[in-house]
Structure formats: C-alpha cells, structure tokens
Amino acid sequence: MKIYWTKINKIIEETAEVRTYLLDCPEGFTWEEGSHTHFALEGFNAGDKPNRGLIRHMSISTLPHEESIGITTRIREKCSEFKSILSKLEVGDKVAIFKTHSNVPLKRENKNVYLLSSGVGLATFRPLVLDYFECADNVNQIHSLNIDSSQDFLFNTIIKSAPERKFIAQFVDNRTDYYEEVKYLAEDKDGIFYIVGSDEFLVQNMEVLRDQGIQPDQIMLDKREKGRNELVSSVYPEQHDLVETK
Ligand SMILES: Cc1cc2nc3c(=O)[nH]c(=O)nc-3n(C[C@H](O)[C@H](O)[C@H](O)COP(=O)(O)OP(=O)(O)OC[C@H]3O[C@@H](n4cnc5c(N)ncnc54)[C@H](O)[C@@H]3O)c2cc1C
C-alpha cells in the first residue's frame, strides 16, 4: 500500500460548518469521479499499529483536472479528536492519503441518473456532476436530491439546476419531504439511483426504492462488494438467498 504524503494548499469555508481542504496532487496519484480515500493526519502511522483515530474515509470532491484533491467535511463545535486536529491545520501542513477507490463512477447507460444524499454527502456527487457537465454522452439526465436544513447549500455554483444541460438540483429541508420525493423519483422504473450517507440512510432509501419496484442492480452505494451485499440483502431478502446459495 502506497501512502501519499501531501500538503494542504487551500482551505475553503463552504458554509458555517463545512470546509473543503484542497491538497496538492502527489506525483503519480490519480482518481476518478466518485472516489473515496483514506485521509490521515500526521502521526497516524507512528506506532506499531495505525492509529485509527487519526484516519477517516473521505470522498474526493474534485476531479483530477482541477489539479487539487478536494476533501469536504463538516466540522461541528462538538467534534471528534480527528476533526478537532483537522480544524487547526493550516495551508502548508502535511496530511496523508492512501487506498483510493471509486465504487460509484458515473454510469453511462443511456438512463436517467438520480443522486440521493444528505448534507455533506453531496461531496461525493460533485465530481460526478462535473464529469457529466463535461461530457453528457450516454447519460439521459441527472437529478440530485439532497436534504439540507441549513438553506446554505453546498457547491451552489455547480449543484444548481441547469435545464439546458438536463440537470436538476433539488434541496429539501426535512426527511418527510425527502422520502416523498424519493418515492416520486422511483416512478422512473429504469433509473439508476446513487445513494450516499450513513448506513441507516442507505437502508431507508433502499426500502423506499424497493417498495416502488426498483431492483438492487439499479442502486449504487459507496461500498465495497461485501459491505454492499450485507446492506442490500438486509433490504432485499431474496438477494440474501441468492448470495447464500452461490
Ligand atoms: C466511503 C466513505 C466516504 C466518506 N466521505 C466523507 C466525506 O466526503 N466527508 C465527510 O465529512 N465524511 C465522509 N465520510 C464519513 C467520515 O468517514 C466520518 O465518519 C464522518 O465525517 C464523521 O467524522 P468523525 O467520526 O470525525 O465525527 P464528527 O464529524 O466530529 O462527529 C460526528 C457526530 O458526532 C458528534 N460528536 C462528535 N464528538 C462529540 C463529542 N465529543 N461530544 C458531542 N458530540 C460529538 C458531532 O457533533 C457529529 O454530529 C465517508 C465515509 C465513508 C465510508
């Protein structure tokens, strides 16, 4: 496993609680849209074992041509030790990234794509939307639905409706309206549904999609195969039987 040490080159205050840390691209480091990485703070590998308290999974919120690796995260006043240390870092400080992988690249299958997220989950989708804006080949349209009660929408220069580009950005401020809307979007029986958020959020979304007849192969989760199978089979028991009998 290669650990890339790099430096923070800019810190963007996206909203009151959300920051994007832009990191220099280390030589040889590449990624594609929808990637996540292991983001680690100095000292994480100082002992015999890696200190997990200094490592977090983070999506990369930029595309390679932007020439910086973007890490977007919410830092509340009451936060973990990891976020507390991160919040004190400055431009020029060192951080590490490793084990980078995309489970959710943009599918170009001539279908409608739905991006379902909550709050800062939008960070995972920013590069998918940018990729689509740069080349819409074989994607019919994209509709992003995000729950955000702050009214302080993230990435509002990019994640904004653009009918001429067949892109809709929709924000709702509560879960009831959100799941009503998911139900409505799932009337598209041939769509591809990306979901980003906590496991609880993924399960709740999948339950709504399942009840509308959406099949697991239409659902994209930011999970490796094992984690995905576990979650999907908890919502689609028949999938569980398929996995078990394989
Ligand atoms: C594939 C993948 C991609 C991910 N991508 C991203 C991403 O792009 N951006 C991102 O932000 N996260 C991302 N995550 C989640 C990330 O890894 C962290 O789990 C998440 O940011 C929470 O961080 P934290 O544990 O440092 O807790 P915090 O964010 O600090 O806290 C979590 C919650 O607990 C509360 N809390 C924490 N400590 C205290 C305390 N001492 N007292 C009271 N309340 C407290 C906080 O207020 C907050 O509500 C991703 C996860 C995965 C698996």
Side-chain angles (χ1 to χ4, degrees):
M1 177 186 79
K2 183 161 171 51
I3 298 171
Y4 293 89
W5 284 99
T6 184
K7 284 188 176 163
I8 298 171
N9 67 45
K10 194 173 179 184
I11 302 171
I12 303 169
E13 303 272 343
E14 303 279 3
T15 66
E17 287 185 334
V18 178
R19 288 186 198 166
T20 296
Y21 291 83
L22 292 178
L23 316 178
D24 287 343
C25 288
E27 218 178 297
F29 182 87
T30 55
W31 74 97
E32 59 177 330
E33 77 282 357
S35 289
H36 69 267
T37 192
H38 290 67
F39 180 51
L41 307 179
E42 250 189 306
F44 87 93
N45 58 351
D48 296 343
K49 283 187 183 166
N51 177 354
R52 292 187 178 277
L54 296 179
I55 309 171
R56 289 290 183 276
H57 284 106
M58 289 285 162
S59 298
I60 300 184
S61 58
T62 50
L63 277 181
H65 74 76
E66 296 179 271
E67 294 180 350
S68 281
I69 299 159
I71 301 290
T72 302
T73 193
R74 182 180 303 281
I75 305 181
R76 294 206 161 102
E77 212 180 304
K78 282 194 174 159
C79 63
S80 61
E81 184 198 13
F82 178 92
K83 299 253 174 111
S84 164
I85 298 171
L86 180 64
S87 69
K88 293 184 187 97
L89 295 187
E90 293 175 354
V91 169
D93 286 338
K94 263 172 58 178
V95 291
I97 45 177
F98 54 93
K99 285 208 272 182
T100 305
H101 174 78
S102 179
N103 297 310
V104 286
L106 181 57
K107 285 206 167 215
R108 296 181 179 275
E109 298 180 348
N110 298 305
K111 296 193 171 163
N112 299 335
V113 169
Y114 300 94
L115 307 177
L116 309 177
S117 62
S118 168
V120 80
L122 212 47
T124 316
F125 292 145
R126 180 186 179 275
L128 271 78
V129 173
L130 278 182
D131 195 54
Y132 168 70
F133 283 162
E134 278 155 30
C135 171
D137 288 358
N138 305 114
V139 180
N140 284 356
Q141 60 169 55
I142 295 189
H143 187 132
S144 164
L145 174 65
N146 181 270
I147 313 181
D148 192 331
S149 53
S150 72
Q151 301 293 314
D152 211 358
F153 303 139
L154 268 183
F155 313 125
N156 56 16
T157 57
I158 291 166
I159 311 289
K160 63 173 182 191
S161 291
E164 70 289 0
R165 296 167 117 171
K166 296 190 181 163
F167 176 70
I168 298 171
Q170 186 181 3
F171 293 90
V172 290
D173 65 4
N174 66 80
R175 290 206 167 207
T176 308
D177 288 356
Y178 173 83
Y179 286 114
E180 272 309 303
E181 194 55 33
V182 173
K183 217 163 144 185
Y184 172 72
L185 297 178
E187 283 179 15
D188 178 352
K189 303 300 177 212
D190 199 33
I192 303 176
F193 297 83
Y194 288 69
I195 319 168
V196 162
S198 64
D199 283 359
E200 186 202 0
F201 184 72
L202 300 180
V203 165
Q204 284 175 356
N205 274 275
M206 284 196 288
E207 285 170 351
V208 174
L209 294 175
R210 177 202 60 202
D211 293 349
Q212 298 305 307
I214 301 301
Q215 296 303 309
D217 63 358
Q218 294 171 262
I219 298 177
M220 301 286 286
L221 305 179
D222 193 356
K223 294 263 178 203
R224 294 270 192 174
E225 196 180 342
K226 184 168 174 281
R228 177 190 159 88
N229 284 344
E230 278 171 15
L231 270 196
V232 170
S233 60
S234 71
V235 177
Y236 292 84
E238 67 281 14
Q239 283 303 110
H240 180 68
D241 297 342
L242 285 179
V243 173
E244 289 288 291
T245 52
K246 256 190 192 170

